Amino acid sequence: MDWKPLIIRLPDAHLPRGLDDGPTCRSCGTAWPCATAAEHLTEGRCQCGAPTWWEKRGPRNWHVGPSCYTAADVVMAQAAELSAARPASYPPSHFYPPKPSRRRRQEPPYQYTPAGPGDIAPGTWVWVKPGGLHPGWGDIHRFAMVTALGTPKCEVWLHCDGTVHQVLADHLILEGTAARQAARAAGMTTLCGPARDGRPLLPGWEWVDWTVAEHLVHARPAAAAAPEPVQAELFATLEPADA
């Protein structure tokens, strides 16, 4: 007995010809599906009532009779399926409250690069941490330039829209490029230690992660020490008077 490989997929020779009007088998010439094709097909029924055939072990399917939908209908149906599977998501800005009025200004002409702890001046580029601005500007980091130092708030100029804001100094952190420029000026190629998890900053460079408030505290002159009283030493040498 001759061995023959098991035919798993519907042979192309038994595909239908003329689905719109009495389909026939390409090989047998009989009404489709022929006996060979029927072994590989599952019969169904379209919503329009026409018979449909689905390949058991493949993705192909056939709609007997005139098509009940156009290409545009197919696109709309696929879009509806995708929309149901993945609900539309909008950027967070769609949920932000309206922005209040803020004074606008051209980009300040001065720039400053910190070179060490406490070395902060107008013109320093910083990132405004989330929560530092009005909610209308979003719950994200904003790129800004410090235009006036102060405590507890500093004046900053936002790069995105040119508005001027008063932001708490502890919500401002140095922009990374300024720290790298300071490192290159000091002859260093990196601010971090050996390559390992976390890559800690090298000693003496922790200030690049400080907030502006920490820099201002570091730059503040130390209070003069109060003089120690000397009366106790003077009177300690006196002997008590005889009764």
Side-chain angles (χ1 to χ4, degrees):
M1 182 177 180
D2 295 338
W3 177 86
K4 295 182 179 179
L6 177 65
I7 300 176
I8 299 178
R9 300 286 300 277
L10 172 62
D12 293 342
H14 293 274
L15 292 176
R17 177 186 292 112
L19 284 174
D20 292 342
D21 185 17
T24 58
C25 177
R26 295 182 181 182
S27 178
C28 303
T30 58
W32 191 86
C34 62
T36 302
E39 298 178 0
H40 302 278
L41 300 174
T42 300
E43 184 178 4
R45 187 69 58 177
C46 178
Q47 60 182 2
C48 66
T52 59
W53 298 91
W54 293 79
E55 192 174 11
K56 293 180 180 179
R57 299 181 181 88
R60 295 180 291 183
N61 62 85
W62 294 267
H63 184 281
V64 179
S67 178
C68 60
Y69 49 83
T70 64
D73 295 332
V74 174
V75 173
M76 294 299 294
Q78 292 176 346
E81 292 179 1
L82 290 175
S83 178
R86 296 181 298 178
S89 58
Y90 300 96
S93 59
H94 285 245
F95 304 99
Y96 294 155
K99 295 180 180 179
S101 177
R102 289 289 187 272
R103 180 163 52 94
R104 294 181 183 272
R105 184 193 304 170
Q106 292 183 346
E107 181 176 348
Y110 42 82
Q111 293 192 12
Y112 187 79
T113 301
D119 186 16
I120 297 292
T124 303
W125 287 103
V126 295
W127 288 102
V128 183
K129 295 194 296 185
L133 300 173
H134 184 276
W137 274 266
D139 190 24
I140 60 176
H141 284 77
R142 291 288 185 179
F143 191 46
M145 177 192 291
V146 176
T147 54
L149 293 170
T151 53
K153 292 185 177 182
C154 298
E155 182 186 83
V156 299
W157 176 86
L158 282 193
H159 183 268
C160 61
D161 57 6
T163 53
V164 178
H165 302 256
Q166 295 290 330
V167 182
L168 291 172
D170 57 3
H171 278 72
L172 304 175
I173 55 178
L174 293 185
E175 198 271 329
T177 303
R180 290 194 293 271
Q181 290 176 351
R184 285 196 294 268
M188 301 186 63
T189 58
T190 180
L191 301 178
C192 297
R196 61 175 184 268
D197 293 341
R199 291 184 61 83
L201 291 169
L202 294 175
W205 287 90
E206 295 84 355
W207 59 270
V208 300
D209 281 345
W210 288 1
T211 64
V212 172
E214 291 174 301
H215 281 276
L216 294 177
V217 171
H218 187 275
R220 187 181 305 161
E228 297 182 1
V230 297
Q231 289 83 356
E233 297 180 0
L234 292 176
F235 288 101
T237 59
L238 298 178
E239 297 181 359
D242 294 337

